[in-house]
Amino acid sequence: MTTSPAAIPSTYYAHPLDDDKLKEECGVFGVIGLKDASNFVALGLHALQHRGQEAGGIVCHDPDEGFNSARRFGYVRDNFTKESVMKTLPGPIAIGHVRYSTAGSKGAVIRDVQPFFGEFSMGGAAIAHNGNITNAVALRKELVEHGSIFQSSSDSECIIHLMARSLQRNIPERMEDALRRVEGAFSVVAMTRTKLMGVRDPHGVRPLVLGRLGEGWVLSSESCALDIIGAELIREIEPGEMVVISADGSVDSSFPFRPQPSKFCIFEHVYFSRPDSIYGGRSVYETRRQIGVELARENPVDADLVCPVPDSGTPAAIGFSQESGIPYAMGIIRNQYMGRTFIEPTESIRNMGVRLKLNVNRALIKGKRVILVDDSVVRGTTTRKIKNMFLDAGAAEVHFRIASPPTAWPCFYGVDTPEREKLLAATMTEDEMCDHLKVDSLKFISLDGLYRAVGQAEGRNKECPQYCDACFSGEYPVTPSDKIEQGFQMAAAE
Ligand code: SF4
């Protein structure tokens, strides 16, 4: 079942702008009550591939065959479409996981690939976790000192060991017990022989939705993955909620944790989630378009064209164009096949960098004043390259409008961010970034503007922000205790 780490060169999975984007870490999906549930899970994971491209795994249970699992590096479509793999995953209940990696080993270690499985006295259980446990180092130390033997370097494995140490009589109660010890962000999908479980942390930082397909039930990180299998979106799992779905189709809901203010990740709206997913009854696409509208109101500029930086800047660019009246145009054309063409590029090809993946539409932009709409600026390296491509192609002016506030703080809740010093906005003001990147203008949406765009008409509640926005504000809803132990300094309270 193992795959050689050498078989997955880092360039293989590269998104065109991967070197300068925050990366979502995981997607989770689970099904109960459908024949060959693993096939539905594979499709769901395929729809969630944008949340993690490094590896994927499925665990399933069949009354005759017991538990089975498969974990693979690479895309879901390259692994979980093969008959040789899927026929080993029978049964009416299955969960799956796609992964990039935050906690745990960076890169290729098959034992870090979820779902994780544990055999308890009352039967087996598997879990798949999206998020990041902010006290995992302390928990792991404690567990190891008490005799736990870890198989992986993933923070998520702590949950299995905490379950093993719990004295509760059944697995859902053990999971509750375990998750009470866990701090940070978690959306967990788990299974026993007969039950599918879904849990969101008390702040609800990462998403999790419930869907229905025929007699079966589905749990998914995003609603777009329900669509691919024809399931109906029933509702979002609430922050702090645990649902236990039985083989007979009954759904038990409980709220086992101390209630906390909701802090859904606002960056899911900006970038991580697919635009065809739905949160709070509104599509992510519509929210992103509205971000563009707010951006145009806050930061108008005289120009000839509004162009998206593909693909995530597209809805905001459309909104910007609609609000400003400046024509929308595809100034950048993306090569859809790049990732699979040059699996191991030579040095000379690698030096072409972003040009391999994106090309400026020269005939369109020559002599034009262009507004480029992008979702974020992280290190700024891509912004600079794109600006150079536009100037080389003859653009008269290049203005950047960014659909998120300056990213000045790292995320500790399941998103891969560079260290704080490497974030451009951590060390420079907006004007300094503009000078540094040598663009004609650079403006970000304000935090209040972003909150208005996601449906908070009054903007951000400064006393108790309605979302997690720590990567912009430095206000962490859950203290990142491991990081503080390692020397991370949080923003001083005003
Ligand atoms: S810090 Fe940023 S990316 Fe991380 S959960 Fe909060 S809003 Fe999302």
Side-chain angles (χ1 to χ4, degrees):
M1 198 195 297
T2 55
T3 305
S4 162
I8 54 163
S10 58
T11 48
Y12 186 82
Y13 305 108
H15 177 276
L17 309 173
D18 239 8
D19 55 348
D20 197 21
K21 290 285 174 201
L22 301 189
K23 291 183 212 63
E24 176 60 66
E25 306 303 338
C26 302
V28 293
F29 200 84
V31 167
I32 187 168
L34 297 175
K35 187 173 180 292
D36 295 327
S38 296
N39 287 336
F40 293 100
V41 171
L43 283 167
L45 294 180
H46 174 64
L48 296 174
Q49 191 81 82
H50 59 290
R51 300 183 75 86
Q53 298 90 50
E54 184 186 77
I58 296 177
V59 171
C60 59
H61 183 269
D62 178 81
D64 298 322
E65 309 263 336
F67 283 99
N68 278 289
S69 68
R71 297 180 183 81
R72 296 286 190 277
F73 291 120
Y75 289 127
V76 174
R77 66 169 183 234
D78 293 338
N79 292 307
F80 295 99
T81 49
K82 292 178 183 154
E83 200 194 341
S84 59
V85 176
M86 298 312 295
K87 74 179 182 197
T88 68
L89 299 171
I93 174 168
I95 64 170
H97 188 264
V98 283
R99 164 182 205 267
Y100 180 69
S101 58
T102 32
S105 304
K106 289 282 176 196
V109 182
I110 199 76
R111 64 175 188 269
D112 282 344
V113 178
Q114 300 186 39
F116 291 127
F117 180 79
E119 193 70 67
F120 306 101
S121 55
M122 64 286 286
I127 66 160
H129 168 218
N130 174 207
N132 195 44
I133 299 174
T134 51
N135 63 336
V137 173
L139 281 176
R140 193 181 181 101
K141 185 165 177 285
E142 176 194 317
L143 286 160
V144 168
E145 279 170 6
H146 286 87
S148 295
I149 300 171
F150 277 74
Q151 305 289 318
S152 76
S153 59
S154 166
D155 63 333
S156 312
E157 197 188 337
C158 287
I159 301 170
I160 285 281
H161 291 286
L162 288 167
M163 287 169 70
R165 298 190 66 77
S166 167
L167 300 176
Q168 297 296 338
R169 286 162 305 141
N170 62 49
I171 287 172
E173 286 174 3
R174 284 189 175 215
M175 199 162 85
E176 248 182 73
D177 238 13
L179 291 174
R180 280 203 194 93
R181 297 283 324 275
V182 162
E183 296 168 10
F186 54 84
S187 281
V188 170
V189 167
M191 62 178 279
T192 67
R193 285 171 294 193
T194 55
K195 292 188 191 325
L196 176 69
M197 296 171 282
V199 197
R200 267 178 101 190
D201 67 77
H203 291 292
V205 175
R206 303 255 76 87
L208 189 65
V209 301
L210 177 69
R212 188 84 161 121
L213 177 60
E215 298 300 300
W217 288 98
V218 187
L219 290 165
S220 171
S221 290
E222 293 182 39
S223 64
C224 67
L226 301 179
D227 297 338
I228 196 173
I229 62 168
E232 178 194 0
L233 171 64
I234 300 298
R235 64 178 177 87
E236 293 170 36
I237 304 299
E238 299 290 325
E241 183 181 10
M242 175 170 181
V243 292
V244 180
I245 308 170
S246 300
D248 65 6
S250 62
V251 181
D252 290 325
S253 162
S254 62
F255 289 82
F257 313 111
R258 202 150 56 95
Q260 300 285 347
S262 173
K263 300 284 179 188
F264 183 50
C265 166
I266 204 163
F267 225 125
E268 292 279 354
H269 286 293
V270 174
Y271 175 66
F272 301 136
S273 293
R274 260 176 47 167
D276 48 342
S277 284
I278 292 171
Y279 296 123
R282 187 160 74 152
S283 78
V284 172
Y285 174 89
E286 176 50 24
T287 296
R288 288 183 189 161
R289 194 195 66 78
Q290 197 57 38
I291 291 173
V293 169
E294 289 287 342
L295 194 51
R297 285 178 189 155
E298 288 186 346
N299 299 293
V301 57
D302 226 6
D304 303 309
L305 294 174
V306 178
C307 302
V309 176
D311 294 321
S312 48
T314 302
I318 291 169
F320 195 107
S321 167
Q322 289 169 340
E323 178 65 17
S324 64
I326 299 170
Y328 171 90
M330 294 293 287
I332 303 175
I333 307 300
R334 176 178 165 186
N335 184 344
Q336 303 288 347
Y337 303 101
M338 172 54 215
R340 299 183 61 75
T341 309
F342 296 101
I343 287 176
E344 291 189 82
T346 61
E347 191 61 29
S348 59
I349 289 175
R350 210 167 16 237
N351 286 341
M352 294 177 189
V354 77
R355 285 171 200 274
L356 286 174
K357 304 161 186 169
L358 304 175
N359 193 27
V360 174
N361 190 347
R362 281 174 178 267
L364 181 80
I365 64 96
K366 191 167 171 31
K368 299 280 183 8
R369 298 166 300 164
V370 181
I371 301 167
L372 282 159
V373 180
D374 201 355
D375 54 81
S376 56
V377 172
V378 181
R379 293 184 176 91
T381 48
T382 303
T383 312
R384 187 197 292 266
K385 284 176 193 162
I386 290 174
K387 179 259 318 188
N388 287 340
M389 285 166 62
F390 270 75
L391 291 180
D392 289 351
E397 293 174 17
V398 180
H399 303 271
F400 272 87
R401 292 294 178 269
I402 309 299
S404 59
T407 307
W409 295 88
C411 174
F412 301 124
Y413 306 136
V415 170
D416 187 37
T417 5
E419 284 153 6
R420 181 145 201 257
E421 311 73 72
K422 297 197 176 124
L423 297 169
L424 205 60
T427 53
M428 293 183 195
T429 64
E430 201 169 280
D431 288 345
E432 286 168 344
M433 284 191 266
C434 184
D435 288 347
H436 175 76
L437 296 168
K438 297 189 172 55
V439 291
D440 290 288
S441 72
L442 169 71
K443 295 288 177 192
F444 295 78
I445 193 169
S446 68
L447 255 181
D448 270 330
L450 178 57
Y451 272 77
R452 283 193 296 275
V454 298
Q456 304 289 333
E458 304 299 316
R460 181 179 190 255
N461 178 346
K462 291 183 181 55
E463 304 306 315
C464 182
Q466 304 93 317
Y467 285 83
C468 175
D469 56 26
C471 47
F472 310 126
S473 65
E475 293 175 30
Y476 290 89
V478 181
T479 305
S481 49
D482 286 344
K483 293 290 172 187
I484 287 174
E485 188 71 21
Q486 292 161 10
F488 174 74
Q489 290 188 327
M490 290 178 46
E494 282 182 9

